[in-house]
């Protein structure tokens, strides 16, 4: 949606400086932005900065801009309201339905999506009053981002940091791009690139025949849809699928395992997450003749000699295009005399070394096609991280909850000097 009208609310916290960069990013994306700071926000960044960068007047009170009845018109005409940073006080006033300045009055009149990015000290974020206010706002359909963990204003560190401007912009643009299926969906993958593979590969036997498998692609496609709804840039690499691909994701179609391997390695560069939900054929015919194989009356058919395909997932782990990428695999298992589904899953988790492996039982009406799933998520050591039961959409969101938590923990480690390994320099 180009040329949208965005109201950027800014409340009084030190992180207001990040909203300046957010304003620039929204303007560069082609949108008109009207900045509505609170009076205390102007203590951190002055009116002149907001006016110069937005090219629009900046008011804080309902008694300014009265000819246009701004306290009603701004909210009514907006396509999106973003509040960044949203302080504990702003959240409390919004949750209480107060209208004691232009920003809160605008929030009461807005009928468009509303995105709030809280930022405050950890104690304030964890206080039961704030927790209740956030829950109330989310229950009304407001998208409240979780703050990041890391260094705060002083020497303290913990959850409460405003996400970086590009993450905020990505979350805002994701909301403008289309309705989010569930308004309570948390945009916790905003700004992240997620690669998902789905469906089965087809290995040619000759120009008309192939070796394939029964994968419908539903689980991978549910993951792609869920990741996009959570604000991620999604690149979906699909083999043979029996369902439609979701809107709002970049789709690349491939045929064979070798084509999928190339596509995944290209897409994985710069991606934060790769989810290998595809059913990749383990073997391919050594040779696929260019002409159709004919029956020879009275002659037995030539045997099809197979060669092993590369294991795309194991290669990603052993030789990652980007060492920071979180790699998630799937394991479709049936129990047998050698062990249970979970036994085989644990062995596969250790063998493949992916950061996470989602193990599901297949066969006898389970796992494939349009049926509910039961998935156990293991880490690289084969330890159970969580178990998820439900539809493929619920499994997708459950898995992405784990992925998002891992990404947040990584960013916290990277930005928090306290948790960085200490080096002693001897002089
Ligand atoms: N996978 C892959 N490349 C392959 C085979 C599988 O990347 N050539 C990935 C799948 O996308 C999945 C995971 O590896 O994420 C496990 O797939 P699965 O078929 O369960 O395991 P296999 O390695 O094929 O082992 P086996 O069939 O022997 O159980």
């Amino acid at each position: 949606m180009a040329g949208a009208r965005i109201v950027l609310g800014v409340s009084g916290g030190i992180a207001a400086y990040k909203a300046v960069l957010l304003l620039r990013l929204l303007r560069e994306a082609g949108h008109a932005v009207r900045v509505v700071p609170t009076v205390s926000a102007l203590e951190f960044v002055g009116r002149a900065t907001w006016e110069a960068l937005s090219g629009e007047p900046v008011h804080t009170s309902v008694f300014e801009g009265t000819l246009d009845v701004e306290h009603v018109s701004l909210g009514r005409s907006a396509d999106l309201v973003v509040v960044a940073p949203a302080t504990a006080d702003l959240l409390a006033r919004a949750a209480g339905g107060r209208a004691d300045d232009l920003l809160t009055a605008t929030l009461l009149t807005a009928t468009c999506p509303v995105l709030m990015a809280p930022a405050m000290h950890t104690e304030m974020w964890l206080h039961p009053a704030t927790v209740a206010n956030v829950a109330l706002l989310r229950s009304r359909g407001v998208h409240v981002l979780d703050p990041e963990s890391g260094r705060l204003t002083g020497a303290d560190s913990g959850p409460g940091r405003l996400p970086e401007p590009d993450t905020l912009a990505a979350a805002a643009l994701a909301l403008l791009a289309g309705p989010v299926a569930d308004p309570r969906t948390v945009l916790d993958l905003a700004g992240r690139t997620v690669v998902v593979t789905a469906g089965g590969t087809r290995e040619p036997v000759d120009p008309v025949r192939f070796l394939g498998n029964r994968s419908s692609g539903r689980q991978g496609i549910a993951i792609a849809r869920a990741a996009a709804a959570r604000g991620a840039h999604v690149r979906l690499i699909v083999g043979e699928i029996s369902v439609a691909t979701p809107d709002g994701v970049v789709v690349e179609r491939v045929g064979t395992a070798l084509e999928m391997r190339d596509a995944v390695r290209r897409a994985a560069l710069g991606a934060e997450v790769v989810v290998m939900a595809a059913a990749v054929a383990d073997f391919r015919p050594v040779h696929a003749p260019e002409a159709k194989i004919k029956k020879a009356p009275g002659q037995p058919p030539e045997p099809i000699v197979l060669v092993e395909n590369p294991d795309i997932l194991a290669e990603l782990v052993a030789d990652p295009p980007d060492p920071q990428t979180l790699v998630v695999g799937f394991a479709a298992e049936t129990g047998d005399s050698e062990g249970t589904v979970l036994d085989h899953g644990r062995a596969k988790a250790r063998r493949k070394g992916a950061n996470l492996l989602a193990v599901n039982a297949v066969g006898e009406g389970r796992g494939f096609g349009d049926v509910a799933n039961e998935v156990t998520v293991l880490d690289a050591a084969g330890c159970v991280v969580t178990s998820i039961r439900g539809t493929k959409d619920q499994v997708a969101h459950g898995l992405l909850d784990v992925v998002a938590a891992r990404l947040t923990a990584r960013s916290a480690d990277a930005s928090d000097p306290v948790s960085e390994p200490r080096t002693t320099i001897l002089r």
Side-chain angles (χ1 to χ4, degrees), residues 22 90 147 150 233 381 384:
L22 171 61
L90 186 282
H233 303 294
V384 174

Side-chain angles (χ1 to χ4, degrees), residues 344-354 357 359 378-383:
H344 288 297
R346 283 184 204 281
K348 195 170 282 182
R350 288 191 279 261
R351 197 168 68 241
K352 299 236 181 193
L357 187 77
V359 181
L378 305 177
D379 64 14
C383 299

Side-chain angles (χ1 to χ4, degrees), residues 84-389:
T87 57
D89 179 64
L90 186 282
L91 293 171
R93 289 192 293 130
R98 301 282 300 270
D100 44 5
D101 60 9
L102 186 57
L103 178 54
T104 46
T106 299
L107 286 168
L108 278 184
T109 52
T111 52
C112 59
V114 175
L115 174 69
M116 292 191 177
M120 62 198 75
H121 284 280
T122 303
E123 294 81 351
M124 298 171 109
W125 173 246
L126 297 178
H127 192 282
T130 307
V131 171
N133 289 332
V134 168
L136 185 57
L137 288 165
R138 282 181 174 156
S139 73
R140 291 183 193 144
V142 176
H143 300 271
V144 184
L145 296 181
D146 279 331
E148 290 187 352
S149 253
R151 184 80 187 265
L152 300 172
T153 319
D156 53 342
S157 172
R161 263 164 65 103
L162 188 68
E164 294 308 308
D166 53 350
T167 304
L168 298 173
L173 298 178
L175 279 180
L176 276 180
V180 171
D182 179 351
R184 283 160 297 176
T185 302
V186 179
L187 294 170
D188 54 1
L189 294 176
R192 312 282 196 182
T193 298
V194 177
V195 177
V196 182
T197 67
T201 62
R202 282 182 167 185
E203 309 299 324
V205 171
D206 70 11
V208 292
R209 304 182 179 93
F210 58 83
L211 298 181
N213 58 62
R214 293 173 53 199
S215 170
S216 65
R218 281 190 171 84
Q219 185 61 76
I221 281 173
I223 292 168
R225 186 172 40 244
R230 294 164 83 136
H233 303 294
V234 179
R235 300 184 63 120
L236 175 62
I237 299 168
V238 288
E240 198 52 32
I241 49 173
S242 46
V243 283
T245 55
D247 290 337
V249 309
V250 178
V251 179
E252 185 172 352
R253 292 189 177 268
V254 295
T256 64
L258 293 178
E259 287 169 12
M260 183 167 278
R261 176 221 231 167
D262 287 351
V264 169
R265 292 200 71 82
R266 260 184 279 113
L269 257 182
E272 277 90 357
V273 185
V274 176
V275 182
M276 283 293 306
V280 185
D282 288 329
F283 307 100
R284 65 178 184 278
V286 179
H287 173 61
E290 280 176 21
K292 187 182 170 197
I293 300 171
K294 293 284 197 190
K295 277 186 299 216
Q299 299 269 314
E302 283 289 317
I304 298 174
V305 182
L306 300 176
V307 61
E308 198 168 331
N309 269 328
D311 187 322
I312 305 170
L313 182 68
E315 281 187 359
L316 275 180
V317 174
D319 176 24
D322 188 333
Q324 287 305 309
T325 308
L326 191 95
V327 180
V328 184
F330 265 82
E333 298 292 346
T334 57
D336 58 20
S337 58
E338 307 279 299
T340 62
V341 167
L342 197 53
D343 292 336
H344 288 297
R346 283 184 204 281
K348 195 170 282 182
R350 288 191 279 261
R351 197 168 68 241
K352 299 236 181 193
N355 300 92
L356 298 168
L357 187 77
V359 181
N360 67 338
V362 293
E364 290 167 15
R366 293 182 300 179
F368 286 117
D370 193 14
V371 294
N373 254 5
E374 191 174 341
V375 162
T376 305
V377 183
L378 305 177
D379 64 14
C383 299
V384 174
V385 178
T386 189
S387 292
I388 312 156
R389 267 188 97 138

